[in-house]
Amino acid sequence: FFRNMALVGSTPVAREDEVDVDVTWEDQQKICTFGRLNQRMLEIQQEVKDKKEEIEKGNDAATEIYIADDIKYVMGEAFVGMQVDEVEELLEARKELLEGEIETLEAELVTIHSRMKTFKGELYAKFGKSIYLENE
């Protein structure tokens, strides 16, 4: 049984399902580009997640400032005493900045997904089950 199997990535593929195709320089470029796009996609997804968590923490802080008597806002490595309305403005400005960055990153994700879909179609058309381009 194992004699008729080959490994593609970590997925076994039956030898009769493999397509014997020469890998050209252009194919290798497409594979490498797909890999870079995939890595960038993962990085962007993590950035978006981190920014959404930061927005959530800012929202939590905005609700907590009303019960505090003495408010210290962190700027760089220093704590600065501020009034409630000043802190609200800073938190709102930071939230707007993060939301804008998230929109930009999500637009980049759409572009990356489109390019990856194109490469995936071309590579699967040529290599069939001999190539594995899915995230696990």
Side-chain angles (χ1 to χ4, degrees), residues 13 23 30 32 37 44 49 52 63 66 71 88 93 127:
V13 175
V23 179
K30 289 178 185 177
C32 290
L37 288 171
I44 290 173
K49 179 183 172 196
K52 285 182 178 180
T63 59
Y66 292 109
I71 298 174
E88 282 180 323
F127 297 105

Side-chain angles (χ1 to χ4, degrees), residues 10-129:
S10 60
T11 306
V13 175
R15 295 227 185 261
E16 52 272 358
D17 290 339
E18 287 184 15
V19 178
D20 189 21
V21 177
D22 291 328
V23 179
T24 64
W25 185 83
E26 290 83 14
D27 296 331
Q28 187 62 41
Q29 293 302 310
K30 289 178 185 177
I31 293 167
C32 290
T33 301
F34 182 88
R36 285 191 302 274
L37 288 171
N38 188 57
Q39 184 61 36
R40 179 66 182 141
M41 178 190 69
L42 296 174
E43 290 169 0
I44 290 173
Q45 288 172 338
Q46 185 61 47
E47 282 182 58
V48 168
K49 179 183 172 196
D50 292 345
K51 289 180 187 308
K52 285 182 178 180
E53 287 176 5
E54 188 174 342
I55 287 173
E56 187 62 35
K57 287 178 184 176
N59 290 339
D60 291 344
T63 59
E64 294 291 323
I65 61 174
Y66 292 109
I67 59 173
D69 294 331
D70 185 33
I71 298 174
K72 302 283 187 198
Y73 189 84
V74 177
M75 290 189 168
E77 294 182 12
F79 290 91
V80 179
M82 301 180 89
Q83 298 296 318
V84 172
D85 57 340
E86 293 173 319
V87 174
E88 282 180 323
E89 289 174 16
L90 287 172
L91 290 172
E92 187 60 34
R94 181 69 182 158
K95 180 180 176 180
E96 289 174 6
L97 175 72
L98 290 169
E99 287 172 344
E101 290 174 356
I102 288 171
E103 284 181 27
T104 302
L105 290 169
E106 287 176 342
E108 186 178 349
L109 265 179
V110 169
T111 303
I112 288 173
H113 281 292
S114 174
R115 291 185 63 202
M116 286 176 68
K117 185 177 179 180
T118 301
F119 283 122
K120 195 182 286 190
E122 293 172 3
L123 292 168
Y124 276 135
K126 181 164 184 178
F127 297 105
K129 292 183 179 180

